[in-house]
Amino acid sequence: SAVRNWVQGLLDITFQVENDMVEKEFDSRELFDEVLGMLQDVEEQCLTLHRHANKKKPDPASQDAEQDPPTKTPTPTVDLPEGTQAMVSWLGESMAECVHWRRGALSYMLTATLASEKKTLDRTILQDGIQALDRMLETRGKRM
């Protein structure tokens, strides 16, 4: 689907950028914020698509050529947050899990770098990273 292709392209591009940031010890906080924002936008875009698709129920006889159908996925064993549900629906479990992992790992790497340099830690980033990693586990029905 177009949504999956867009997210896969985003993950491919940001992977190299993330590696460069780690190697340079996050010398550009603006770049960190930009990449993290792009990864967070994936969830927001999936939520928007999910809400739009649930608002208007298309006639099964007619296919909307502009919108990709959601991915068929098994019913999760735990109640997922709405954003994760939307990501699983549109991207599948693996890709939704990957987006959460990348958000959490990137936040963790920045926090670890700041801690090793004995700089002030941003608790919001740490909390957001933990939440993203928790959602990564929840995506496949596991909890911390």
Side-chain angles (χ1 to χ4, degrees), residues 7 16 21 30 36 38 46 67 109 114 117 119 135:
V7 173
Q16 184 58 48
M21 281 192 292
E30 294 79 23
L36 192 63
M38 284 188 266
C46 287
Q67 192 171 25
M109 288 185 284
L114 293 174
E117 297 172 355
K119 294 183 179 177
R135 286 190 175 171

Side-chain angles (χ1 to χ4, degrees), residues 63-75:
Q63 286 286 332
D64 184 359
E66 293 183 43
Q67 192 171 25
D68 298 305
T71 304
K72 301 287 184 216
T73 57
T75 305

Side-chain angles (χ1 to χ4, degrees), residues 108-122 126:
Y108 169 79
M109 288 185 284
L110 174 63
T111 301
T113 300
L114 293 174
S116 72
E117 297 172 355
K118 302 204 183 318
K119 294 183 179 177
T120 304
L121 299 181
D122 185 334
L126 182 58

Side-chain angles (χ1 to χ4, degrees), residues 23 50 61 63 71 86 96 99 102-103:
E23 285 179 20
H50 190 71
Q63 286 286 332
T71 304
V99 171
R102 296 277 289 276
R103 285 173 54 191

Side-chain angles (χ1 to χ4, degrees), residues 2-52:
V3 176
R4 287 181 58 89
N5 290 339
W6 168 69
V7 173
Q8 185 62 58
L10 178 69
L11 291 171
D12 290 347
I13 291 168
T14 58
F15 181 77
Q16 184 58 48
V17 174
E18 291 170 39
N19 286 332
D20 290 345
M21 281 192 292
V22 171
E23 285 179 20
K24 295 177 182 172
E25 297 183 343
F26 295 92
D27 62 346
S28 171
R29 180 60 186 267
E30 294 79 23
L31 185 57
F32 168 83
D33 291 338
E34 195 172 318
V35 171
L36 192 63
M38 284 188 266
L39 293 172
Q40 290 168 334
D41 284 348
V42 170
E43 186 170 344
E44 291 302 317
Q45 293 299 322
C46 287
L47 264 172
T48 299
L49 288 169
H50 190 71
R51 288 175 181 153
H52 180 72

Side-chain angles (χ1 to χ4, degrees), residues 68-136:
D68 298 305
T71 304
K72 301 287 184 216
T73 57
T75 305
T77 57
V78 295
D79 291 329
L80 297 175
E82 185 182 14
T84 300
Q85 287 178 7
M87 286 177 34
V88 168
S89 175
W90 286 93
L91 305 175
E93 283 182 341
S94 294
M95 194 170 288
E97 183 180 54
C98 183
V99 171
H100 285 313
W101 164 252
R102 296 277 289 276
R103 285 173 54 191
L106 186 60
S107 297
Y108 169 79
M109 288 185 284
L110 174 63
T111 301
T113 300
L114 293 174
S116 72
E117 297 172 355
K118 302 204 183 318
K119 294 183 179 177
T120 304
L121 299 181
D122 185 334
R123 289 184 189 267
T124 303
I125 290 175
L126 182 58
Q127 291 168 338
D128 290 347
I130 290 169
Q131 182 182 37
L133 292 172
D134 191 33
R135 286 190 175 171
M136 177 208 56

